[in-house]
Amino acid sequence: MTGAVPRKAGMGALWATVLGSSVAMIDGSVVNVALPAMAKALDANAAGIQWIVNGYMLPLSALVLIGGALADSLGRKTIFLAGLSLFAFASIGCMAAPTLGWLIAARVAQGIGAALLTPASLAILGADFEGEARAKAIGTWAAAGAIGAAIGPIIGGWLVDAVGWRWVFGLIVPIAVAAAILAVVAVEGGHDPEAAKPDWPGGALATIGLGLLVWGLTIATSGGQGAVYSIAGGVVASAAFLWWESRCGTRAMVPLGLFGTRSFSAITVLTFLLYAALSGVLLLLPYLLISTGWRATAAGAAILPLPLIMGAGSRAAGALAERIGARWMLGAGPVLVATGFAAMRIIPGTAIAFVPHILPSMLLIGIGMTAAVAPLTNAVMASVDRHHAGAASGVNNATARIGGMVAVALIGLVLTGGGRGVSIEAFHAALWLAAAVAVTAGVAGWFSVPAKQP
């Protein structure tokens, strides 16, 4: 095999991974527009709504690094198919859920499946392609994920309006079946015999710690009891996780040595805060629109400018970062996002119109996110030595998901009517908070790259 040409079955492997990873991308983006319908059908309160989202995000955030290690040690094809199968069956479980508890349990299973198939799909591309062909394959994989995230809310909204929220999950099944067939035929089952064993204790402690912290925040903001005990337990489990990781050294799921540099620590803070602010707003905006009479399809389409701008502008933003320096982009991008959040406060409580009330803000947020995200990966890679590049990238991706998960755990402060609606006054207050968080992310971004480093 040459450095520029994939093996004969390479295109089948490419489309298997594209379709497989797309199910996780689509699922993550379609659920937000279906939440009001789910809440009404299953009589979910604010805490229940939060766990419909975080039931998926928790295992995905905590276990994605273990999923990558399993793909290396047990076989890329094996783990990819296992994750894909679990995701598909869990999606059927979501579709058939008779109660809220059933739905949340199925969402947890979806998250575990996504934690297996997502890193395995990228590992397959690394093994089945070489040289220029590998770069093109990974670019196709990333572009497909962006497209899935862009069209997901529109398709999901249309399904909610046309046939009901359960078919949001039914959409996943045929895509997963097609991906599985292609994977069986086209993907090789290689593994790395020298790969490190998965850090199971670290994964368990991370899941317990994050779970208790998120549960504590959720019940604290939705009027439940026992928040202090849950948060305290989360802190203890998180401390135990850090202690365990320090003992594991180079075998750690999260090598603590990564945080020995100011750059990586600042980038981690930037990622957590920026994605927390964005996730909170993007969850609340469709909820507000639907509660004021918008159809779910239109509410999903209202978010479309954001992924379109990011997809169209990422290459140009990366080139600009090379010319003026990543520091400027990482500092100014989140501040522009904050400006977009603040501008969104013109949204009224009734008669919300897309062009005057939403579009200007979405344009600002899209440009700001493009400016920040485009140089972020390179900044992550530059902040550590080449031997820790993969771990650094994995930690940064997990940090973005954890930021979103914490934001979702706090939305109980904004939801009204037992989780059935959004107060416009509370929504405006949440926008100010999100803007402040994004500005803080910009400050972290400014200090994440030395001034002399492009």
Side-chain angles (χ1 to χ4, degrees):
M1 180 170 60
T2 67
V5 180
R7 63 181 176 82
K8 184 176 181 180
M11 293 310 296
L14 170 61
W15 287 108
T17 60
V18 164
L19 291 175
S21 59
S22 291
V23 300
M25 293 289 186
I26 293 172
D27 183 90
S29 64
V30 300
V31 168
N32 285 2
V33 296
L35 281 174
M38 294 178 190
K40 183 177 180 180
L42 299 177
D43 195 27
N45 58 14
I49 293 167
Q50 290 160 283
W51 276 106
I52 291 173
V53 178
N54 278 345
Y56 175 75
M57 293 299 297
L58 174 60
L60 177 56
S61 303
L63 301 177
V64 67
L65 296 180
I66 283 187
L70 284 171
D72 290 336
S73 59
L74 298 182
R76 296 173 290 273
K77 180 176 181 177
T78 299
I79 297 303
F80 178 75
L81 286 172
L84 192 61
S85 299
L86 178 58
F87 199 99
F89 281 112
S91 297
I92 295 172
C94 291
M95 188 180 181
T99 64
L100 177 64
W102 178 305
L103 177 61
I104 293 173
R107 291 284 286 163
V108 171
Q110 276 190 316
I112 297 172
L116 295 176
L117 73 88
T118 302
S121 66
L122 194 55
I124 288 170
L125 294 182
D128 283 26
F129 292 82
E130 291 183 356
E132 182 181 350
R134 177 187 296 167
K136 290 181 178 179
I138 292 175
T140 302
W141 179 86
I147 292 171
I151 66 174
I154 299 175
I155 296 175
W158 176 79
L159 287 170
V160 171
D161 290 334
V163 291
W165 65 265
R166 296 182 186 275
W167 287 98
V168 167
F169 298 106
L171 170 69
I172 300 297
V173 179
I175 301 175
V177 170
I181 293 172
L182 283 173
V184 169
V185 173
V187 175
E188 293 186 347
H191 69 283
D192 182 1
E194 298 180 358
K197 294 181 179 180
D199 181 10
W200 291 112
L205 289 170
T207 303
I208 294 170
L210 285 173
L212 288 174
L213 287 171
V214 170
W215 176 252
L217 290 173
T218 299
I219 59 179
T221 59
S222 57
Q225 301 293 321
V228 173
Y229 302 106
S230 180
I231 292 173
V235 170
V236 171
S238 298
F241 168 74
L242 295 176
W243 170 80
W244 174 258
E245 295 299 283
S246 68
R247 286 176 54 91
C248 290
T250 58
R251 298 180 293 104
M253 183 174 76
V254 179
L256 299 185
L258 293 174
F259 298 94
T261 66
R262 186 193 75 178
S263 293
F264 185 79
S265 297
I267 289 171
T268 302
V269 172
L270 158 66
T271 302
F272 176 85
L273 294 177
L274 183 60
Y275 279 93
L278 181 69
S279 298
V281 172
L282 293 188
L283 178 64
L284 289 173
L285 178 59
Y287 221 101
L288 174 68
L289 296 177
I290 293 170
S291 68
T292 56
W294 282 46
R295 293 181 66 82
T297 308
I303 301 171
L304 188 58
L306 174 60
L308 287 180
I309 293 172
M310 293 184 69
S314 292
R315 185 180 295 247
L320 181 61
E322 289 294 323
R323 289 199 298 270
I324 70 173
R327 187 185 201 196
W328 287 97
M329 304 287 281
L330 294 173
V335 174
L336 194 55
V337 172
T339 305
F341 291 154
M344 201 177 285
R345 291 193 74 255
I346 67 172
I347 294 178
T350 58
I352 303 172
F354 174 69
V355 173
H357 299 141
I358 298 173
L359 181 58
S361 299
M362 294 305 297
L363 293 176
L364 287 171
I365 295 168
I367 295 170
M369 286 298 298
T370 303
V373 172
L376 185 61
T377 300
N378 286 337
V380 170
M381 297 298 101
S383 68
V384 298
D385 62 74
R386 63 183 181 88
H387 300 293
H388 292 94
S393 178
V395 170
N396 189 257
N397 287 330
T399 298
R401 295 188 178 99
I402 292 170
M405 192 165 53
V406 171
V408 172
L410 296 174
I411 64 166
L413 295 171
V414 182
L415 297 180
T416 59
R420 300 298 173 82
V422 178
S423 159
I424 189 62
E425 294 80 13
F427 179 71
H428 286 166
L431 290 173
W432 279 126
L433 177 59
V437 171
V439 168
T440 307
V443 174
W446 179 258
F447 289 104
S448 65
V449 180
K452 63 180 179 179
Q453 182 176 333

